Short mmCIF file of all heavy atoms in Angstrom, two decimals:
data_model
loop_
_atom_site.label_atom_id
_atom_site.label_comp_id
_atom_site.label_asym_id
_atom_site.label_seq_id
_atom_site.Cartn_x
_atom_site.Cartn_y
_atom_site.Cartn_z
N MET U 1445 -17.34 159.74 -61.24
CA MET U 1445 -17.11 161.11 -61.69
C MET U 1445 -17.35 162.11 -60.56
O MET U 1445 -16.59 163.06 -60.37
CB MET U 1445 -18.04 161.42 -62.87
CG MET U 1445 -17.84 162.81 -63.47
SD MET U 1445 -19.12 163.25 -64.67
CE MET U 1445 -20.51 163.55 -63.58
N VAL U 1446 -18.41 161.90 -59.78
CA VAL U 1446 -18.72 162.81 -58.68
C VAL U 1446 -17.67 162.72 -57.58
O VAL U 1446 -17.36 163.71 -56.91
CB VAL U 1446 -20.13 162.50 -58.12
CG1 VAL U 1446 -20.42 163.32 -56.89
CG2 VAL U 1446 -21.18 162.75 -59.18
N ALA U 1447 -17.10 161.54 -57.40
CA ALA U 1447 -16.09 161.37 -56.35
C ALA U 1447 -14.74 161.94 -56.75
O ALA U 1447 -14.08 162.63 -55.96
CB ALA U 1447 -15.95 159.88 -56.00
N VAL U 1448 -14.31 161.66 -57.97
CA VAL U 1448 -12.95 162.02 -58.40
C VAL U 1448 -12.89 163.42 -58.99
O VAL U 1448 -11.92 164.16 -58.76
CB VAL U 1448 -12.43 160.98 -59.41
CG1 VAL U 1448 -11.05 161.37 -59.93
CG2 VAL U 1448 -12.38 159.60 -58.77
N GLY U 1449 -13.90 163.82 -59.76
CA GLY U 1449 -13.86 165.11 -60.45
C GLY U 1449 -13.65 166.30 -59.53
O GLY U 1449 -12.66 167.03 -59.64
N PRO U 1450 -14.56 166.55 -58.56
CA PRO U 1450 -14.36 167.69 -57.66
C PRO U 1450 -13.08 167.59 -56.84
O PRO U 1450 -12.43 168.61 -56.55
CB PRO U 1450 -15.60 167.64 -56.75
CG PRO U 1450 -16.63 166.92 -57.55
CD PRO U 1450 -15.87 165.92 -58.36
N ALA U 1451 -12.70 166.37 -56.45
CA ALA U 1451 -11.47 166.21 -55.68
C ALA U 1451 -10.25 166.64 -56.50
O ALA U 1451 -9.34 167.30 -56.00
CB ALA U 1451 -11.32 164.77 -55.21
N MET U 1452 -10.22 166.28 -57.78
CA MET U 1452 -9.10 166.67 -58.65
C MET U 1452 -9.06 168.18 -58.83
O MET U 1452 -7.98 168.79 -58.81
CB MET U 1452 -9.22 165.97 -60.00
CG MET U 1452 -9.01 164.47 -59.95
SD MET U 1452 -9.21 163.69 -61.58
CE MET U 1452 -7.95 164.55 -62.51
N VAL U 1453 -10.23 168.80 -58.99
CA VAL U 1453 -10.27 170.25 -59.15
C VAL U 1453 -9.78 170.94 -57.88
O VAL U 1453 -9.00 171.89 -57.92
CB VAL U 1453 -11.71 170.71 -59.51
CG1 VAL U 1453 -11.80 172.23 -59.50
CG2 VAL U 1453 -12.11 170.17 -60.87
N GLY U 1454 -10.24 170.45 -56.71
CA GLY U 1454 -9.82 171.04 -55.45
C GLY U 1454 -8.32 170.94 -55.24
O GLY U 1454 -7.67 171.92 -54.84
N VAL U 1455 -7.74 169.77 -55.50
CA VAL U 1455 -6.30 169.60 -55.33
C VAL U 1455 -5.54 170.43 -56.35
O VAL U 1455 -4.51 171.05 -56.04
CB VAL U 1455 -5.94 168.10 -55.45
CG1 VAL U 1455 -4.42 167.93 -55.46
CG2 VAL U 1455 -6.54 167.32 -54.29
N GLY U 1456 -6.04 170.49 -57.58
CA GLY U 1456 -5.35 171.25 -58.61
C GLY U 1456 -5.33 172.75 -58.36
O GLY U 1456 -4.42 173.45 -58.81
N LEU U 1457 -6.34 173.26 -57.63
CA LEU U 1457 -6.43 174.70 -57.39
C LEU U 1457 -6.07 175.08 -55.96
O LEU U 1457 -6.36 176.19 -55.52
CB LEU U 1457 -7.85 175.19 -57.70
CG LEU U 1457 -8.31 175.01 -59.14
CD1 LEU U 1457 -9.75 175.50 -59.30
CD2 LEU U 1457 -7.40 175.76 -60.11
N MET U 1458 -5.42 174.18 -55.22
CA MET U 1458 -5.11 174.44 -53.82
C MET U 1458 -4.30 175.72 -53.63
O MET U 1458 -4.52 176.47 -52.68
CB MET U 1458 -4.34 173.27 -53.21
CG MET U 1458 -5.19 172.09 -52.81
SD MET U 1458 -4.30 170.95 -51.72
CE MET U 1458 -2.80 170.67 -52.65
N PHE U 1459 -3.36 175.96 -54.53
CA PHE U 1459 -2.47 177.10 -54.37
C PHE U 1459 -2.85 178.27 -55.28
O PHE U 1459 -2.09 179.22 -55.42
CB PHE U 1459 -1.02 176.67 -54.64
CG PHE U 1459 -0.56 175.56 -53.72
CD1 PHE U 1459 -0.48 174.26 -54.18
CD2 PHE U 1459 -0.25 175.82 -52.40
CE1 PHE U 1459 -0.07 173.23 -53.34
CE2 PHE U 1459 0.15 174.80 -51.55
CZ PHE U 1459 0.25 173.51 -52.02
N VAL U 1460 -4.00 178.17 -55.91
CA VAL U 1460 -4.49 179.25 -56.77
C VAL U 1460 -5.58 180.05 -56.08
O VAL U 1460 -5.56 181.28 -56.07
CB VAL U 1460 -5.01 178.68 -58.11
CG1 VAL U 1460 -5.58 179.80 -58.97
CG2 VAL U 1460 -3.89 177.96 -58.84
N VAL U 1461 -6.55 179.34 -55.47
CA VAL U 1461 -7.65 180.01 -54.76
C VAL U 1461 -7.15 180.42 -53.38
O VAL U 1461 -6.95 179.57 -52.50
CB VAL U 1461 -8.86 179.07 -54.64
CG1 VAL U 1461 -9.99 179.76 -53.90
CG2 VAL U 1461 -9.31 178.60 -56.00
N ARG U 1462 -6.96 181.70 -53.16
CA ARG U 1462 -6.43 182.19 -51.89
C ARG U 1462 -6.58 183.70 -51.84
O ARG U 1462 -6.70 184.35 -52.88
CB ARG U 1462 -4.95 181.83 -51.75
CG ARG U 1462 -4.05 182.59 -52.72
CD ARG U 1462 -2.67 182.00 -52.82
NE ARG U 1462 -1.75 182.86 -53.54
CZ ARG U 1462 -1.71 183.00 -54.86
NH1 ARG U 1462 -2.55 182.32 -55.61
NH2 ARG U 1462 -0.83 183.81 -55.42
N PRO U 1463 -6.58 184.28 -50.64
CA PRO U 1463 -6.53 185.74 -50.55
C PRO U 1463 -5.17 186.25 -51.03
O PRO U 1463 -4.13 185.68 -50.69
CB PRO U 1463 -6.72 186.02 -49.05
CG PRO U 1463 -7.28 184.76 -48.49
CD PRO U 1463 -6.75 183.65 -49.34
N ILE U 1464 -5.20 187.29 -51.84
CA ILE U 1464 -3.96 187.87 -52.36
C ILE U 1464 -3.53 188.99 -51.42
O ILE U 1464 -4.24 189.99 -51.28
CB ILE U 1464 -4.16 188.42 -53.79
CG1 ILE U 1464 -4.74 187.33 -54.68
CG2 ILE U 1464 -2.84 188.92 -54.36
CD1 ILE U 1464 -3.88 186.10 -54.81
N GLY U 1465 -2.39 188.82 -50.76
CA GLY U 1465 -1.96 189.78 -49.75
C GLY U 1465 -1.76 191.17 -50.31
O GLY U 1465 -2.10 192.17 -49.67
N GLY U 1466 -1.24 191.29 -51.50
CA GLY U 1466 -0.96 192.62 -52.06
C GLY U 1466 -2.14 193.23 -52.78
O GLY U 1466 -2.07 194.36 -53.24
N ARG U 1467 -3.25 192.47 -52.89
CA ARG U 1467 -4.42 192.96 -53.64
C ARG U 1467 -5.37 193.61 -52.66
O ARG U 1467 -6.13 192.95 -51.97
CB ARG U 1467 -5.10 191.79 -54.36
CG ARG U 1467 -6.44 192.15 -55.02
CD ARG U 1467 -6.22 193.14 -56.15
NE ARG U 1467 -7.40 193.24 -56.99
CZ ARG U 1467 -8.35 194.13 -56.84
NH1 ARG U 1467 -8.29 195.00 -55.85
NH2 ARG U 1467 -9.36 194.18 -57.68
N LYS U 1468 -5.32 194.92 -52.53
CA LYS U 1468 -6.21 195.64 -51.64
C LYS U 1468 -7.15 196.51 -52.47
O LYS U 1468 -6.72 197.51 -53.05
CB LYS U 1468 -5.40 196.53 -50.67
CG LYS U 1468 -4.45 195.74 -49.77
CD LYS U 1468 -5.23 194.82 -48.84
CE LYS U 1468 -4.30 194.07 -47.91
NZ LYS U 1468 -5.02 193.14 -47.05
N GLN U 1469 -8.40 196.10 -52.56
CA GLN U 1469 -9.37 196.87 -53.33
C GLN U 1469 -9.91 197.99 -52.44
O GLN U 1469 -10.89 197.86 -51.75
CB GLN U 1469 -10.52 195.98 -53.80
CG GLN U 1469 -11.42 196.67 -54.81
CD GLN U 1469 -12.77 195.98 -54.91
OE1 GLN U 1469 -13.25 195.43 -53.95
NE2 GLN U 1469 -13.37 196.02 -56.08
N VAL U 1470 -9.19 199.13 -52.44
CA VAL U 1470 -9.61 200.25 -51.61
C VAL U 1470 -10.99 200.73 -52.01
O VAL U 1470 -11.83 201.05 -51.20
CB VAL U 1470 -8.57 201.40 -51.71
CG1 VAL U 1470 -9.01 202.60 -50.90
CG2 VAL U 1470 -7.22 200.91 -51.25
N ARG U 1471 -11.24 200.80 -53.30
CA ARG U 1471 -12.56 201.14 -53.81
C ARG U 1471 -12.70 200.48 -55.18
O ARG U 1471 -11.69 200.19 -55.85
CB ARG U 1471 -12.74 202.65 -53.94
CG ARG U 1471 -11.78 203.32 -54.88
CD ARG U 1471 -11.94 204.83 -54.84
NE ARG U 1471 -10.98 205.51 -55.69
CZ ARG U 1471 -11.15 205.76 -56.98
NH1 ARG U 1471 -12.25 205.35 -57.57
NH2 ARG U 1471 -10.23 206.39 -57.68
N PRO U 1472 -13.91 200.23 -55.64
CA PRO U 1472 -14.09 199.58 -56.93
C PRO U 1472 -13.52 200.43 -58.06
O PRO U 1472 -13.91 201.58 -58.24
CB PRO U 1472 -15.61 199.43 -57.05
CG PRO U 1472 -16.11 199.55 -55.66
CD PRO U 1472 -15.18 200.47 -54.96
N SER U 1473 -12.60 199.90 -58.81
CA SER U 1473 -12.02 200.63 -59.93
C SER U 1473 -12.86 200.41 -61.18
O SER U 1473 -13.64 199.46 -61.25
CB SER U 1473 -10.59 200.14 -60.18
OG SER U 1473 -10.59 198.79 -60.60
N PRO U 1474 -12.72 201.28 -62.17
CA PRO U 1474 -13.47 201.06 -63.41
C PRO U 1474 -13.20 199.71 -64.04
O PRO U 1474 -14.10 199.10 -64.61
CB PRO U 1474 -12.99 202.22 -64.30
CG PRO U 1474 -12.55 203.28 -63.34
CD PRO U 1474 -11.97 202.55 -62.17
N SER U 1475 -11.96 199.22 -63.94
CA SER U 1475 -11.66 197.91 -64.52
C SER U 1475 -12.39 196.80 -63.78
O SER U 1475 -12.86 195.84 -64.40
CB SER U 1475 -10.15 197.66 -64.48
OG SER U 1475 -9.69 197.62 -63.14
N ASP U 1476 -12.53 196.92 -62.46
CA ASP U 1476 -13.28 195.92 -61.71
C ASP U 1476 -14.73 195.89 -62.16
O ASP U 1476 -15.32 194.82 -62.35
CB ASP U 1476 -13.21 196.21 -60.21
CG ASP U 1476 -11.86 195.86 -59.62
OD1 ASP U 1476 -11.16 195.03 -60.21
OD2 ASP U 1476 -11.50 196.43 -58.57
N ASP U 1477 -15.33 197.05 -62.30
CA ASP U 1477 -16.72 197.12 -62.74
C ASP U 1477 -16.90 196.48 -64.11
O ASP U 1477 -17.85 195.72 -64.35
CB ASP U 1477 -17.20 198.57 -62.77
CG ASP U 1477 -17.32 199.17 -61.38
OD1 ASP U 1477 -17.46 198.39 -60.42
OD2 ASP U 1477 -17.26 200.41 -61.26
#
Side-chain angles (χ1 to χ4, degrees):
M1445 183 189 74
V1446 174
V1448 177
M1452 291 179 59
V1453 173
V1455 172
L1457 298 178
M1458 280 195 309
F1459 302 103
V1460 177
V1461 180
R1462 69 195 191 282
I1464 306 300
R1467 172 66 166 93
K1468 299 296 182 182
Q1469 190 199 32
V1470 178
R1471 61 185 177 87
S1473 65
S1475 62
D1476 286 337
D1477 291 338

